[in-house]
Amino acid sequence: MDFGLSPAAEEVCARMWGFMREEVFPAEREYEQWRASHDPHAHPPVLERLKESARKRELWNLFLPALSGLSNLDYAAVAEISGWSPVIAPEAINCQAPDTGNMETLHLFATPEQKRQWLEPLLAGEIRSAFAMTEPDVASSDATNITTRIARDGDDYVINGRKWWISGAAEGDGFVIAQARLGPGRVHHAMRAIGMAERALGLMVDRAKSRVAFGQHLSDQGVVRELIAQSRIDIDQARLLVYKTAWLIDSRGAKGARTEIAAIKVAAPAMATAVIDRAIEVFGGMGVSDDTPLAYFYAWARSLRIADGPDAVHRRSIAREELRRERPFTG
């Protein structure tokens, strides 16, 4: 396995870091201040400014190999960078969920007419899309429980059901198509979680170097050094697992990476919540305030362990594959 990035991906990552430092990070305060005084569901103008800049920098629709020329492994590195500012950066480069998965689905399965109506404006960043799976009355982690039904009515379709926690802007082969969108998208989610964890670790280190308690800097205390060291180990382990998954998707397709896709759904958000929690511990009260992004990061990472399916469901899938696996030797 070769996890080295292509020269094109190296160059894109360099441009992405420039975009983050020069525009995205400085825009975070403006974004939050605007939302605090407006409808929280409204669209902060700063995002349109960032989207226009991202287009000029050729940092647009990078998630789709057919357009960007990047492999899933290549894009994983870009997704990690965007995870350093998980609310703003993905949308600024038109690589935000659930639009990426929906665009992939339309790209793979839509008719020419459907592509003109929905895919093209999504790729242009002119509209947003949604993903509606969760229902309040059933365990939606088991997709076979879904009670919403769609029926043809002449030239139209009637959808009847109640949905909850719709992500984004608010069947026959439908299940198969839905599963097809869940491969590369899981890599995107996982790498953004790793990006959040990296930023949390950076904040933890800075805090430990500058904060004094009991007569010495926190960075000189063994317990804090242990938190920092374990965080580095956890992040790097998770990244390697996601890189392996992306490599398998590139070389064998999503079906050839079923176990690994389920594994990163568990490993990456769990790692991120653990690292962010350690950073909060080092910051103390400040860590649960709005003075740092840590509290928001923690809520985001913990929510991902529900929105991307409960850990228990993914472990069940992994265990099922493991129980089928043939061993070279037993006993």
Side-chain angles (χ1 to χ4, degrees), residues 247-308:
W247 178 84
L248 282 171
I249 293 173
D250 285 332
S251 58
R252 303 181 189 176
K255 286 186 177 180
R258 283 195 304 269
T259 298
E260 288 76 10
I261 290 170
I264 64 174
K265 289 179 181 180
V266 176
M271 175 280 299
T273 53
V275 171
I276 297 164
D277 185 70
R278 293 171 195 144
I280 291 173
E281 183 174 348
V282 172
F283 271 85
M286 188 178 182
V288 293
S289 74
D290 290 334
D291 291 343
T292 76
L294 293 173
Y296 185 82
F297 280 4
Y298 187 90
W300 185 278
R302 189 60 186 88
S303 297
L304 189 58
R305 297 171 66 183
I306 300 172
D308 221 15

Side-chain angles (χ1 to χ4, degrees), residues 10-199:
E10 293 278 7
E11 196 271 334
V12 169
C13 286
R15 282 191 279 118
M16 186 68 188
W17 271 122
F19 180 51
M20 296 290 287
R21 296 188 185 101
E22 295 162 19
E23 300 192 60
V24 175
F25 294 137
E28 289 179 336
R29 184 172 296 276
E30 179 183 348
Y31 178 93
E32 291 301 332
Q33 289 176 343
W34 194 93
R35 291 194 67 199
S37 59
H38 294 77
D39 181 345
H41 297 290
H43 195 72
V46 66
L47 274 174
E48 291 306 313
R49 189 174 76 236
L50 291 172
K51 287 163 69 174
E52 184 60 31
S53 179
R55 287 190 185 95
K56 292 178 180 178
R57 293 172 181 257
E58 297 183 357
L59 297 170
W60 193 254
N61 292 331
L62 298 172
F63 71 96
L64 197 59
L67 295 180
S68 68
L70 299 178
S71 67
N72 286 291
L73 180 58
D74 285 338
Y75 178 69
V78 180
E80 177 179 344
I81 297 170
S82 72
W84 282 65
S85 187
V87 178
I88 299 178
E91 185 169 356
I93 62 174
N94 212 40
C95 294
Q96 68 282 350
D99 294 338
T100 49
N102 293 339
M103 285 188 273
E104 287 169 340
T105 302
L106 290 167
H107 175 73
L108 291 172
F109 301 106
T111 65
E113 181 182 352
Q114 289 169 334
K115 289 180 179 180
R116 283 193 298 271
Q117 185 174 5
W118 304 114
L119 179 58
E120 291 178 10
L122 278 169
L123 289 171
E126 297 170 354
I127 63 172
R128 292 293 311 271
S129 63
F131 186 79
M133 178 173 173
T134 306
E135 297 181 356
D137 298 324
V138 298
S140 305
S141 55
D142 178 359
T144 62
N145 279 343
I146 299 300
T147 59
T148 297
R149 293 293 178 262
I150 182 171
R152 184 186 290 276
D153 182 11
D155 293 333
D156 300 318
Y157 285 95
V158 176
I159 301 173
N160 187 18
R162 184 184 177 196
K163 290 294 182 180
W164 203 29
W165 294 104
I166 299 173
S167 62
E171 303 299 357
D173 288 335
F175 184 77
V176 175
I177 293 173
Q179 292 302 303
R181 82 187 284 283
L182 299 182
R186 302 319 92 182
V187 171
H188 307 170
H189 281 313
M191 292 305 292
R192 285 193 288 263
I194 290 169
M196 280 193 290
E198 282 284 10
R199 189 172 179 186

